[in-house]
Amino acid sequence: MGKLRILYAGSPLASAIVLKNLIEDSKKSDFEIVGVLTNPPSAKGRHSTLVPTEVEQVASENGISVVSFEHLKAEARDAIAPMKADLMICFDYGKIFGPKFLALFPLGGINLHPSALPKYRGCTPVPAAILNGDEKLGVSVQTLALGTDEGDILAFGEIALDGSETTASLMDGDGKSSKVTSLGTELLLSVVHSTVDSAKNGGSFKLPDARKQSGESSYTPFIKKEDGIIDWKKSAVEIDRMVRAYTPWPLASTECGGVKLLILKSKVSDKSTKELKDVVIPGTVLPYQKSVGIEIACGDGSILVATELQWEKKKAMDYKSFMNGARNFTGSVLS
């Protein structure tokens, strides 16, 4: 047998990090990335310049053929079939694969999904784990099935969460590595190397044994821009989770005097408004303490401490810089 031929499907930064890791490993292993499937370039910036996905950029830098389609119909299948890939690896591609498409690959497809499947099936498992206050984030490699994230589990691992993580830090990290991409790469390579080893004695490639998913299933929805709007009647713990879950998008937001304000970083105070003499309305900006941060009253007497903020269309600021230019902010009620 020759090398295991792989088509990689993905689009955003985290997926690009994993692709780069796989390419590096392929240089010393018996597999190769023969092509990349990604989303078409998107318009960005003031002049709507078309910018390729991060995955396309990594593929192009490494001389790998790239195909991109709005829909995976006959045209897409005709472009991918000549690559003669044995297996497709998918991570954060964002489109549904139909039976005709999956039939292009003798070994089918495998998918990296950051959750303990069948928990958090769907497109937003990492924000869901943060919003839920989970202490661990599962990372699964599953076979691609026609039902959303219903494939069998080929490899699994877990990441411990300490309550400070954001979606961005878990997925993208420093832009070169993150907890999800590091563990995800390790799990994918364990499956790929096992598949390569299966053919070393003259046999055909075979995926390692998989197990059926077990336990109660749950599904994560698409995140909408309005999901980031803060309800100050919620507890500080819930709001802090929102701030972290919705970083980098859509970001947690509120309004002050009719102007949109983003809360970019926060923490939960160990104090309570119940200790104060007067009843405090949730959303009220409490007297400023320079050594602490900007304290904001929340539901159940809890207090959120905002440490980085941003007025709409302005630059992000640490809380001290923000307060230097925010007259009459103390005592205002955010809504």
Side-chain angles (χ1 to χ4, degrees):
M1 294 293 292
K3 288 188 174 183
L4 177 69
R5 297 172 63 83
I6 295 172
L7 175 79
Y8 186 87
S11 292
L13 177 57
S15 188
I17 295 171
V18 170
L19 172 61
K20 191 171 183 178
N21 292 342
L22 294 180
I23 293 171
E24 286 301 310
D25 191 88
S26 72
K27 295 175 182 178
K28 59 181 186 292
S29 303
D30 288 331
F31 73 91
E32 59 182 321
I33 309 297
V34 296
V36 159
L37 172 64
T38 190
N39 287 325
S42 57
K44 295 183 179 179
R46 293 177 60 187
H47 303 291
S48 297
T49 304
L50 288 177
V51 178
T53 67
E54 286 90 343
V55 161
E56 180 173 346
Q57 293 174 43
V58 169
S60 298
E61 290 166 2
N62 288 274
I64 298 173
S65 298
V66 176
V67 291
S68 59
F69 296 92
E70 288 290 349
H71 306 285
L72 298 180
K73 296 183 179 180
E75 183 183 10
R77 297 195 297 272
D78 291 343
I80 290 169
M83 296 179 181
K84 296 181 179 179
D86 301 299
L87 173 71
M88 178 173 66
I89 292 179
C90 176
F91 177 38
D92 215 347
Y93 173 56
K95 289 183 172 64
I96 300 297
F97 301 108
K100 291 182 180 179
F101 187 87
L102 290 176
L104 293 171
F105 313 100
L107 296 175
I110 63 175
N111 177 55
L112 178 63
H113 187 80
S115 86
L117 291 170
K119 187 178 184 180
Y120 302 146
R121 290 173 175 169
C123 56
T124 55
V126 174
I130 294 174
L131 288 170
N132 198 44
D134 291 356
E135 295 181 353
K136 294 180 180 179
L137 176 69
V139 179
S140 304
V141 176
Q142 59 170 328
T143 58
L144 276 170
L146 297 180
T148 301
D149 295 325
E150 294 180 5
D152 296 339
I153 305 300
L154 292 160
F156 176 75
E158 290 182 320
I159 297 167
L161 303 179
D162 63 16
S164 66
E165 298 85 0
T166 68
T167 296
S169 70
L170 284 169
M171 292 291 286
D172 301 338
D174 61 2
K176 297 180 180 179
S177 179
S178 71
K179 290 183 177 180
V180 167
T181 59
S182 294
L183 179 56
T185 298
E186 179 185 331
L187 295 172
L188 282 172
L189 286 176
S190 71
V191 173
V192 170
H193 289 163
S194 177
T195 304
V196 169
D197 290 344
S198 70
K200 281 191 172 179
N201 294 323
S204 57
F205 291 122
K206 181 182 177 183
L207 290 173
D209 292 338
R211 63 173 174 82
K212 296 291 183 182
Q213 294 185 25
S214 61
E216 186 176 352
S217 64
S218 60
Y219 291 84
T220 61
F222 283 104
I223 294 173
K224 304 181 294 296
K225 193 171 183 179
E226 54 266 30
D227 290 334
I229 298 173
I230 297 171
D231 177 1
W232 293 103
K233 295 184 182 66
K234 290 184 176 181
S235 70
V237 168
E238 291 175 289
I239 296 172
D240 177 65
R241 290 174 182 171
M242 280 183 61
V243 171
R244 294 184 291 109
Y246 296 144
T247 298
W249 194 89
L251 298 174
S253 65
T254 187
E255 283 196 2
C256 180
V259 181
K260 186 175 182 179
L261 176 64
L262 301 174
I263 309 295
L264 302 179
K265 292 182 181 179
S266 64
K267 57 186 177 181
V268 179
S269 172
D270 57 5
K271 297 187 297 184
S272 170
T273 58
K274 294 177 181 178
E275 301 167 7
L276 303 176
K277 293 180 180 180
D278 301 320
V279 175
V280 181
I281 299 172
T284 300
V285 180
L286 302 175
Y288 178 49
Q289 298 187 56
K290 194 172 184 179
S291 62
V292 177
I294 300 172
E295 297 181 319
I296 306 169
C298 304
D300 297 328
S302 58
I303 297 173
L304 184 80
V305 182
T307 57
E308 186 174 326
L309 308 91
Q310 181 179 2
W311 292 112
E312 187 174 27
K313 299 181 181 179
K314 301 291 183 180
K315 292 182 179 180
M317 292 180 281
D318 63 80
Y319 72 90
K320 292 180 181 178
S321 301
F322 180 88
M323 288 301 292
N324 284 339
R327 294 184 179 180
N328 304 318
F329 189 62
T330 297
S332 59
V333 180
L334 307 180
S335 59

